[in-house]
Amino acid sequence: MSGQNEHGGAEGAGAQDAPTGQDRWRAGDEPSRQDGERRPVPDSAEDADGEAGPGGARDRMGEAERAEQRDRQEQRFREATRDPLADSGVPGEARAAARVQRAAQARFDIRGNSSVFDRTSFDRAHFGDVYIGARDTGAPVFGDVPEDELDRLRQVYRAPAGYPTLKRALRARRVLVLGGPPGTGRLTTGLCLLDEVTAAARSTAPGAGTSAPGTAEPDDRGGTGVLLTRGRVTRLAPSDLGRLTADPGAVADGVPDGGGLLVQLPASAAGFTAPQELHLDALAARLAAKGAYAVLVVSPTSPAGHLLQGRYGLPCPPAPAGELLEWQLVRHLADCPDPDALGRGEQILKHPLFLDALGILPEALRPSETELVAERVAQHVRGEVSRDELLDSCGHIARRQAREWFSGAADPLPPTPAPDREGADAFMDDAAARVREASFRIALAVLDGEALSSVADAAELLAQQILAVRMPGRAHGRPVFAENLDGLLAACRAEARTGEEVSVGGVAVPVRTVSYRGTALAGSVLAEVWHRHHAARGPLVRWLRGLAGDPRPQVWVRAAVVAGELATADLGYGFAELIRPLSAAEDTRRRYFAATALHQAAGREPHRSAVRGVVEDWADAPVPALRWTAALALGSGRIVDDTRRAMELLCGIGGRDDGAHALVASFGATRLVAGSRAGEAATVLCEWAEHGTDEQIDLAMLCAVRLFCARTDDMWQAESGDGPDEPPAESALSAPSFAGRVWRPGGVRLAGRTPGQPGGAGPHALTRTDERPPVPRAPVATTDAELARRAHWPLALAVAVTVESAAEPLADLLWRALANRLSHEAATEGLATWLRAAEADAAVPGVPGRAYVFEQAAGESPADGDAAGPRGEILQALLWLLPRMIRGRRDAERLRWLLRLLVDAPEEPMTAAFARHVVAAMAATGRGQGGRGEEQR
C-alpha cells in the first residue's frame, strides 16, 4: 500500500545516511517542521540523491518519481477525514446516517412471530357488525338492538369530551354522520346517543319485561354509570345499505316512531355507492316527521368519508382510555378479598415492564383493549396468571391490531376483477384506496418518527409496487386532492407532531413528523406482512431496494435497518433479495445500505455466525465492491467479536490494490474505537504504529487522523441493543478467539481459532500479540450513556475520557500521528478543532466580550451547562489528555506554534487569554517546559 520511505526519515539526511528497514517507519524520530515547512530541502548538491555524471539524469528521474509518490501519500492523509459517502453530493451524509441508525435501532423492534392467536372483535361481539344470512324479500331488513345490550352499555360507557356536542347535533338535524376508525368506540357512542335521544319512546322489548320508569337524563355521561330510560334502536342490514341512495324514504319508514336507526357504512367501495348529502336530507325529513333519529358510522378513509366534511358529519372523539381502564380494573377487582388488590393493579399499569410489553400508549388504547388489559391485570393480581402470561397477553394487542388491518375476515382486500370488455384503460381498481392505506401503514412502520413528507412519498412508491402486482401492465395514477390526512392518521393509530430533522448542512430544523401511538405497532405491522402475506414480499423487497437510492439518510438508513431485521426472519431469502444485490452495487450509498443491513441482521445468534462467515469471505473477495462493503460491516463491531481479528481483516482490505480501500478500512477501524472495545482497538493500532508492517502503519495513521478530526456522533453506534444473546459487558474480554463462549443455554459457540493457531490478515500478521493479556472491554451500558452525552465532542477526547483502558494507547497513537511526516498536517488541523471546541465550550454565555469558566472567581458559581454536561468539560478533558501527547521539546513547540496561528487567525481568532491558559496548564504538568519561554508571555 505504501513504500518504505513514506512516514519518516531523518531531517536533512542524504540517501547514504537514511535509516533502513523498520527504523524508517518510527514516528517521532524527527517531527516535521512548522510554519509552512513541509519537507527538508537539501542544502547542496552533495546532499541530494545522485551525483553529477552519466547516471545523474536517471537519478533525477527516480527522485521525481519518489517525490510524486510522496505527494500521493500526503494527499491520502489530507483526504482521511472524508466519509465513505463523500461522493454522494450530500455534505455530512455519513454523520446523518450514523445518527439515523442510532435512532432507528432504538425505536425499531419487530415483536412476536407468525403464531396464530384467537381473534376477537369488540364490534362483532357487542354490536353485531358481522351479519350472517341474506334477505329473501325486497323490503329493507332491520333488527332491534337487544335491551340487555343497551343496559350493559349504560353501565360501562364513559363519554368522551365532545359527547354533548354530538348529542346536540343529532337532536337538531335528526341525522348524524359519526366518523372514526374501527374499534375506537364509534358504534358504542352511536348506540348511546340514540338510546338517549329516543328515551321518550319508552317501550318493552320482547322478553325484556316492563320498562324502567322514566328519568331525566343528564347532558353528559361523565363519572360513574347513569341509569337512563330505555329507548328503541334498530339497525339496517348490510345487504340493504344501497337503499340509502336508492330509496331513503323506505329506510326511514322502517324506523319506529320516536326510535333510532344505526347504520355502519362499509369501508370498501365494492358493490356500494356512497350516499350524498341530498340523500341524507331526504332521510332527515322523513325521520323528523316520525320523531326518529339516525346515526351513520363511517370510516374517514372509506368511500363515504366525504360526508364528514358536510353539515351532518362530526368526528367521534376518542374514548377516555385512562378513565375507562381504571374503571374496568375497579369492576374486575370488585370481588377480590385483598384490600390492597386495587393498589397493586394500579402499580402494574404504570410499571415500565408492563408498558414496554403493551407497546401502545395507555391513552391510545381502544375500549375493547382496555377491557382486555384490565381483565388480565386483575387475573394477575388474584394469582390466576403469571407475570410472563400477563406480559405476553398484552403484547398480543398490537399483533392482533396488525392482523385485523391486513387480514380482517370482515372486510378483506377484494380480489382483482377482470377488466371491462370494451377496454382495459377504462377500468378502475376499487381497492386502490385500501391498498394506499395499507401502504401507508407499512411505510410508517419503516420510517416511524420521521418526516411526514418522507412517509407519504414512500407510501405512494409502495402502493405503486403493490398495484402493479395486482394489475400488471397498467398505469396507476395518484389522487392529488382527495387525501384525508386526519382520517388516515386516525385509521393508522398514528399522530403528527412537530419535531426536528438534521437533513441539510448538519443543522436541526423543525419538521412535521408522524409516528405510531406505540412502539409495538411498527414491528407488528412488518411482522404481519412479512410472515403471513408472502405475496407481498416481492413488492416490499423491490420497494426497500428502491429506498436504498434515496438521498435522504432518514429514509435509506431506516430502510436498511428494517431490511436487516426482516432478513433474520428468513435469512436465505432476505440475504438473496435484500442484501446481496446491493452489496456489489456501483453506488456507494447502496453498498452502505447493504452493510447496515448486515449489521442489523447480526444482532442475534445463529444469524451472527452466518453473517460473520459472509463478511469474512467478502473481505478476501476478488470483487472490490464486496471488500468495500465488508470493511464497512466490520466496523460495526457486532459481527466479529474478536477485535484483533476484525482489525486484521480491515488491514487486509486496506492493503490490497495499492490501498484502494484504505479510507473505508480506516473508517471501519475508527468505528471500532468509538465504543466499548476502544481499549482493545486502540491498543492494536498503537502496536501497529510502533512496530507494524507498511499496511498496518498506514491504517494506524489514517485512523489517528480520523480520531483527530471526527466528532463522536460521526462514528459512535449504541451497542446496548445488540441483541438478547449479548453477554454481560463487564465480563466481555477481547481474549484470543479460542476462548469461545456459549452465550445462552443451547446457544451457538462462536467460531474461532484453535489454541496455538496464528491469526491475522495476510502474511504480515503478528502472532506474538495473542500471548499478551486481554484488554478488558468497557461496560456497554455505561459507554453508551457517556458517549451519547458527549455526542458533540471530538471523538478521541470522548473515548479517552469514557473508556479508561483506551486513554494511554490513544495518546500514544495520536502523538505518533502528529510527529509523522505524512499525517502531520491533517492531524494538526484536527488538533486545532479540539482547541476551538474547548474554547467554545469554556466560554461563559451572556457575558459582554468573551469570558471563560476558568476566569471566574473562586467563590463564584460555575457557568450553567446543559444536558451534555457542565461548561468547560471539553477543556478539562483536553488539558488532561494533551500532556500525554507531549513527549519532548518539539511537541511543546508544536502546540505553542499552533496556538499562535489560532490567535493570529484572520477569521474568528482565538483569544490570547485562552491560549495562555492552555500553555500554562501544560507547563504546570511539566510537559510544556523549555522552548522560547511562552509560558511567561
Side-chain angles (χ1 to χ4, degrees), residues 776-793:
R777 190 170 297 180
V780 170
T782 304
T783 304
D784 281 349
E786 292 299 316
L787 290 180
R789 187 174 67 85
R790 299 181 174 98
H792 65 292
W793 280 37

Side-chain angles (χ1 to χ4, degrees), residues 767-855:
T767 58
R768 66 179 181 84
T769 54
D770 285 346
E771 302 172 359
R772 298 188 176 188
V775 179
R777 190 170 297 180
V780 170
T782 304
T783 304
D784 281 349
E786 292 299 316
L787 290 180
R789 187 174 67 85
R790 299 181 174 98
H792 65 292
W793 280 37
L795 175 61
L797 285 180
V799 171
V801 172
T802 301
V803 183
E804 181 181 358
S805 60
E808 290 300 330
L810 270 180
D812 187 76
L813 177 67
L814 298 174
W815 167 75
R816 294 179 183 279
L818 285 170
N820 186 283
R821 188 179 304 279
L822 295 181
S823 61
H824 163 75
E825 182 179 355
T828 303
E829 292 177 357
L831 181 57
T833 63
W834 290 16
L835 293 168
R836 293 285 193 188
E839 182 189 20
D841 183 63
V844 179
V847 177
R850 195 183 303 185
Y852 302 100
V853 292
F854 54 80
E855 296 176 333

Side-chain angles (χ1 to χ4, degrees), residues 82-385:
R82 297 177 62 207
D83 60 59
L85 300 172
D87 297 330
S88 66
V90 181
E93 185 169 3
R95 175 182 297 175
R99 181 191 62 80
V100 174
Q101 186 175 355
R102 288 192 297 272
Q105 291 177 181
R107 297 175 64 98
F108 184 74
D109 182 21
I110 287 187
R111 304 182 178 218
N113 50 35
S114 56
S115 60
V116 179
F117 51 85
D118 292 337
R119 178 182 182 275
T120 60
S121 174
F122 179 82
D123 297 341
R124 181 171 59 186
H126 299 299
F127 312 121
D129 290 345
V130 179
Y131 296 88
I132 301 175
R135 59 187 179 87
D136 297 326
T137 65
V141 176
F142 297 90
D144 290 342
V145 178
E147 290 295 328
D148 57 351
E149 179 68 16
L150 294 176
D151 286 338
R152 192 190 69 84
L153 289 180
R154 296 185 189 108
Q155 297 176 10
V156 303
Y157 182 68
R158 291 299 177 271
Y163 186 84
T165 302
L166 299 178
K167 188 162 56 174
R168 286 193 295 269
L170 179 60
R171 281 176 169 163
R173 299 169 187 162
R174 297 288 174 171
V175 173
L176 175 65
V177 178
L178 194 60
T184 57
R186 53 182 188 164
L187 283 171
T188 308
T189 299
L191 281 173
C192 289
L193 285 170
L194 292 174
D195 184 39
E196 287 199 51
V197 298
T198 61
R202 295 187 297 273
S203 61
T204 302
T210 306
S211 60
T215 59
E217 75 275 16
D219 194 52
D220 198 351
R221 292 192 175 193
T224 58
V226 179
L227 181 62
L228 301 175
T229 54
R230 289 172 178 156
R232 186 176 181 186
V233 182
T234 187
R235 295 169 296 192
L236 180 65
S239 56
D240 289 314
L241 292 177
R243 295 297 185 95
L244 290 172
T245 303
D247 191 0
V251 174
D253 291 341
V255 181
D257 293 347
L261 172 67
L262 180 67
V263 180
Q264 182 179 3
L265 300 182
S268 63
F272 171 71
T273 302
Q276 304 299 319
E277 282 206 358
L278 61 92
H279 302 110
L280 300 186
D281 291 338
L283 178 64
R286 296 293 291 268
L287 291 174
K290 305 182 64 172
Y293 304 87
V295 173
L296 281 65
V297 176
V298 302
S299 175
T301 57
S302 67
H306 66 277
L307 295 175
L308 294 174
Q309 311 302 322
R311 61 179 177 275
Y312 294 101
L314 284 175
C316 181
E323 178 186 347
L324 190 58
L325 183 60
E326 293 177 1
W327 184 88
Q328 293 280 12
L329 185 62
V330 171
R331 185 169 69 90
H332 284 286
L333 290 176
D335 57 347
C336 184
D338 186 359
D340 298 330
L342 182 59
R344 290 193 290 119
E346 292 175 347
Q347 290 179 354
I348 292 175
L349 293 178
K350 301 176 183 179
H351 197 281
L353 284 178
F354 173 82
L355 296 176
D356 181 68
L358 184 61
I360 301 177
L361 298 178
E363 61 269 20
L365 289 174
R366 292 178 172 175
S368 61
E369 296 167 350
T370 61
E371 184 174 2
L372 174 62
V373 169
E375 181 182 2
R376 290 291 184 265
V377 171
Q379 290 175 345
H380 177 67
V381 170
R382 289 195 295 264
E384 299 173 4
V385 297

Side-chain angles (χ1 to χ4, degrees), residues 149 165 247-248 412 424 457 493 498 512 551 556 609 624 853 882 909 913 935:
E149 179 68 16
T165 302
D247 191 0
D457 291 343
R493 303 185 74 162
T498 300
R512 192 181 187 191
W556 70 262
S609 297
V853 292
L882 270 182
E935 297 85 358

Side-chain angles (χ1 to χ4, degrees), residues 641-645 677 679-681 684 731-737 739 741 770 772-777:
D641 184 63
D642 189 340
T643 304
R644 185 174 294 275
R645 172 61 175 162
R677 59 178 69 193
E680 311 161 84
V684 172
S731 63
L733 298 176
S734 181
S737 299
R741 60 180 72 90
D770 285 346
R772 298 188 176 188
V775 179
R777 190 170 297 180

Side-chain angles (χ1 to χ4, degrees), residues 526-822:
L526 293 173
E528 170 68 20
V529 174
W530 191 255
H531 288 300
R532 295 179 54 83
H533 302 275
H534 188 80
R537 283 192 179 185
L540 183 60
V541 164
R542 289 190 292 273
W543 173 67
L544 288 173
R545 291 204 304 254
L547 294 183
D550 194 287
R552 295 165 292 187
Q554 293 80 4
V555 175
W556 70 262
V557 175
R558 295 295 296 269
V561 172
V562 170
E565 192 67 26
L566 293 177
T568 62
D570 190 347
L571 191 58
Y573 182 92
F575 178 80
E577 297 292 336
L578 284 170
I579 300 176
R580 183 59 181 86
L582 301 177
S583 59
E586 183 177 353
D587 182 18
T588 56
R589 186 183 292 116
R590 294 181 181 274
R591 280 180 270 158
Y592 206 130
F593 181 101
T596 305
L598 285 171
H599 164 83
Q600 188 68 25
R604 58 187 66 89
E605 291 288 0
H607 308 99
R608 182 175 298 159
S609 297
V611 172
R612 183 188 309 118
V614 170
V615 171
E616 291 183 350
D617 181 67
W618 286 359
D620 195 35
V623 182
L626 291 179
R627 297 199 300 272
W628 192 99
T629 305
L632 207 58
L634 286 168
S636 69
R638 177 183 284 185
I639 297 174
V640 178
D641 184 63
D642 189 340
T643 304
R644 185 174 294 275
R645 172 61 175 162
M647 297 291 286
E648 290 169 349
L649 289 172
L650 287 167
C651 185
I653 294 173
R656 291 186 59 172
D657 299 336
D658 196 23
H661 292 334
L663 293 182
V664 70
S666 67
F667 183 86
T670 307
R671 291 181 69 181
L672 290 177
V673 181
S676 62
R677 59 178 69 193
E680 311 161 84
T683 300
V684 172
L685 291 174
C686 187
E687 292 173 1
W688 288 356
E690 183 180 359
H691 46 64
T693 63
D694 299 356
E695 293 82 0
Q696 290 170 341
I697 294 175
D698 266 1
L699 182 62
M701 292 298 101
L702 287 170
C703 289
V705 171
R706 288 192 180 276
L707 287 167
F708 262 120
C709 300
R711 275 187 6 175
T712 303
D713 55 359
D714 290 340
M715 300 288 180
W716 167 70
Q717 289 293 337
E719 301 174 80
S720 55
D722 273 7
D725 302 327
E726 182 186 8
E730 293 78 1
S731 63
L733 298 176
S734 181
S737 299
F738 59 82
R741 60 180 72 90
V742 178
W743 290 40
R744 62 178 178 180
V748 178
R749 181 176 296 274
L750 297 180
R753 300 190 299 270
T754 57
Q757 178 183 354
H764 303 295
L766 302 177
T767 58
R768 66 179 181 84
T769 54
D770 285 346
E771 302 172 359
R772 298 188 176 188
V775 179
R777 190 170 297 180
V780 170
T782 304
T783 304
D784 281 349
E786 292 299 316
L787 290 180
R789 187 174 67 85
R790 299 181 174 98
H792 65 292
W793 280 37
L795 175 61
L797 285 180
V799 171
V801 172
T802 301
V803 183
E804 181 181 358
S805 60
E808 290 300 330
L810 270 180
D812 187 76
L813 177 67
L814 298 174
W815 167 75
R816 294 179 183 279
L818 285 170
N820 186 283
R821 188 179 304 279
L822 295 181

